[in-house]
Amino acid sequence: MRHPSLSTPAAYPTDARRPLALDDRWAASASDPLERTRLIEQARETDASAQLRRCCPSAARLMEHLSWRALTRLAANEPLDPNDPDSWRNPDAHAQIVLRRHGITSLDSTRLTMDAVRALIDGQARADRDAGLHWTRLADPATRLDAPLRHAHAQLPIALEDPAVYAYRDDQRRALATRLGVADEQAGDLSRWLLTHPDAFDRRELRCWRIASATWLALAGEQLPAVERVERPIGLFLLPAVGVDGWQLAPVLSLDAIRLVHSLGGRVEYDLRSAVLPLTAADELLERVNPHTLHAGPNEHLDPTAGLGQALTGELGTPVNAGVAREKRERWGRLLVRRRPCIERDGSASSELVVRVLTIAGREFPRRRVGAAPRDEHAAQPSAVMELGEAVQTAI
């Protein structure tokens, strides 16, 4: 969870045969679900609870979001301020109720950034004040709240079409796609670069689309020369460092390797580090990729060509005459090949090829400078943080 819930005192012994005093309820532990259920049931019957529900009719599980202190107040028929942070179990619960007040039931507040959560909560408090809502007393009759509530709910305090309010890139892409008029099925194809430069959108511009996405592959096929043979299947991906200013490099499949995989009927995984191909593509893969960059078996197979050739033959199912790496880049960046079982669409057992970026440590290519893709780790290790110019020059 992104927000810790309010802490509560230790459990207090109670007699199940009598109603709990308010002080007893406040002392009861939040870890006691039965006690909380009893308190909710009593609070639900009060006029104060009815007033809170009138404020938020679309929250079917409103009471579950309340803090113990808030439930205790409602049980005593004391009015509750929905804008008081102490009324809710945590900021996410508070923000969730603000969304429900506006009839938004399909969005979970945990998908928003902390800045957006704060803006949502603070904005609703201002809207309530501007509408003349005074939560310190019970309205009599309750219908007196209807007009000011309509005013307070006229506009959500944040713009859900703004990608910046979302914590996760999938949500950011969907919001940006809506703004740009991009079809829903293409939303996931929008690039990370475009998320930070939305005004530069051009449907025909490759950098506006995520590398290896269906849209990117189609545009690359139209705009770039066809890939006949891949000499360098491993490339470097330039990415912004997380949490600090600067840039890092990480080993991934090269652009030519990505396009070759696509042409062979395979798919590239989201991290650009691995791909899956049909086993029937093995012969063509051998013909169109520099054999000195292929690898199978343990890292020790790098130099003994006989062991490497045997391992590749076993994985690809066709004789492979692997040669010794001719220069430093072929030794460092390798395409690890592995056969794995799979089930075809008709239910029959089959096999497929998995190719993955593998880097072999060497003095010329230290991990600190260019990152690494170890054999036994799924995620690539990025390089040290650098200035943009230094990172680009290192990659070159």
Side-chain angles (χ1 to χ4, degrees):
M1 293 180 62
R2 294 188 298 121
H3 309 300
S5 60
L6 292 174
S7 59
T8 52
Y12 190 86
T14 61
D15 183 348
R17 294 171 296 178
R18 64 172 176 83
L20 291 177
L22 295 183
D23 289 343
D24 291 342
R25 288 194 178 90
W26 175 241
S29 170
S31 64
D32 185 349
L34 178 59
E35 184 57 43
R36 184 174 177 87
T37 299
R38 292 176 57 194
L39 187 56
I40 288 175
E41 290 175 353
Q42 185 169 341
R44 187 175 282 128
E45 302 302 320
T46 64
D47 291 337
S49 177
Q51 177 167 289
L52 183 64
R53 290 196 300 272
R54 197 175 198 90
C55 156
C56 189
S58 65
R61 305 171 68 179
L62 174 66
M63 295 294 185
E64 296 182 14
H65 293 287
L66 292 169
S67 66
W68 275 80
R69 185 184 299 275
L71 286 172
T72 302
R73 289 181 60 85
L74 289 182
N77 201 28
E78 297 178 9
L80 193 68
D81 182 359
N83 298 308
D84 182 357
D86 289 338
S87 296
W88 308 102
R89 303 183 77 169
N90 51 51
D92 277 331
H94 190 169
Q96 193 74 40
I97 292 303
V98 177
L99 292 171
R100 297 300 182 265
R101 288 181 63 175
H102 289 263
I104 299 170
T105 59
S106 60
L107 176 62
D108 193 304
S109 62
T110 58
R111 289 158 56 188
L112 302 174
T113 65
M114 280 302 304
D115 286 343
V117 165
R118 284 190 288 266
L120 190 64
I121 292 171
D122 295 343
Q124 191 58 56
R126 287 193 299 272
D128 283 7
R129 289 194 300 268
D130 294 344
L133 287 166
H134 302 289
W135 298 110
T136 57
R137 58 179 181 267
L138 293 177
D140 186 17
T143 54
R144 292 176 56 186
L145 291 174
D146 292 348
L149 280 173
R150 284 194 296 271
H151 186 277
H153 297 163
Q155 183 175 354
L156 191 70
I158 61 174
L160 295 183
E161 65 274 14
D162 181 4
V165 306
Y166 295 100
Y168 306 107
R169 288 201 183 97
D170 285 347
D171 289 322
Q172 294 170 6
R173 287 184 167 104
R174 279 191 289 268
L176 183 57
T178 300
R179 179 198 292 185
L180 298 175
V182 172
D184 291 344
E185 57 270 21
Q186 283 186 294
D189 291 358
L190 297 177
S191 70
R192 184 163 52 183
W193 176 84
L194 185 63
L195 291 175
T196 57
H197 302 83
D199 294 335
F201 178 61
D202 181 345
R203 292 180 184 274
R204 301 292 299 169
E205 178 64 50
L206 275 170
R207 65 179 175 175
C208 292
W209 304 98
R210 181 174 54 81
I211 294 174
S213 67
T215 306
W216 185 91
L217 287 166
L219 284 177
E222 297 173 6
Q223 300 178 12
L224 301 179
V227 176
E228 300 297 336
R229 180 177 171 83
V230 178
E231 289 295 328
R232 301 282 174 261
I234 311 304
L236 290 172
F237 192 86
L238 177 67
L239 68 159
V242 178
V244 296
D245 290 334
W247 297 80
Q248 294 174 287
L249 297 170
V252 295
L253 294 170
S254 68
L255 296 184
D256 280 351
I258 289 171
R259 296 178 62 205
L260 175 62
V261 167
H262 176 65
S263 70
L264 296 180
R267 71 176 188 277
V268 175
E269 301 297 352
Y270 196 87
D271 62 1
L272 305 183
R273 189 188 169 190
S274 59
V276 180
L277 299 96
L279 185 60
T280 54
D283 288 337
E284 191 169 359
L285 179 69
L286 280 172
E287 292 176 3
R288 299 178 64 182
V289 173
N290 178 358
H292 300 288
T293 62
L294 297 179
H295 193 89
N299 288 6
E300 290 73 18
H301 281 171
L302 182 64
D303 292 316
T305 56
L308 177 58
Q310 291 174 2
L312 285 169
T313 297
E315 299 293 350
L316 293 169
T318 188
V320 179
N321 181 18
V324 178
R326 298 168 300 183
E327 46 97 3
K328 294 181 293 184
R329 284 175 297 181
E330 291 179 349
R331 180 182 177 85
W332 169 76
R334 315 284 289 185
L335 201 57
L336 182 65
V337 181
R338 180 171 60 88
R339 183 195 300 210
R340 72 179 182 190
C342 68
I343 302 298
E344 300 291 349
R345 292 183 178 180
D346 61 3
S348 61
S350 183
S351 297
E352 60 188 5
L353 290 177
V354 178
V355 296
R356 184 163 65 86
V357 174
L358 171 69
T359 59
I360 307 297
R363 185 173 56 187
E364 297 86 355
F365 294 92
R367 190 206 70 80
R368 179 175 177 80
R369 294 291 290 170
V370 295
R375 177 188 180 84
D376 298 326
E377 295 186 27
H378 179 70
Q381 299 174 359
S383 70
V385 178
M386 296 174 272
E387 295 291 337
L388 179 59
E390 180 185 5
V392 171
Q393 188 57 43
T394 297
I396 293 173

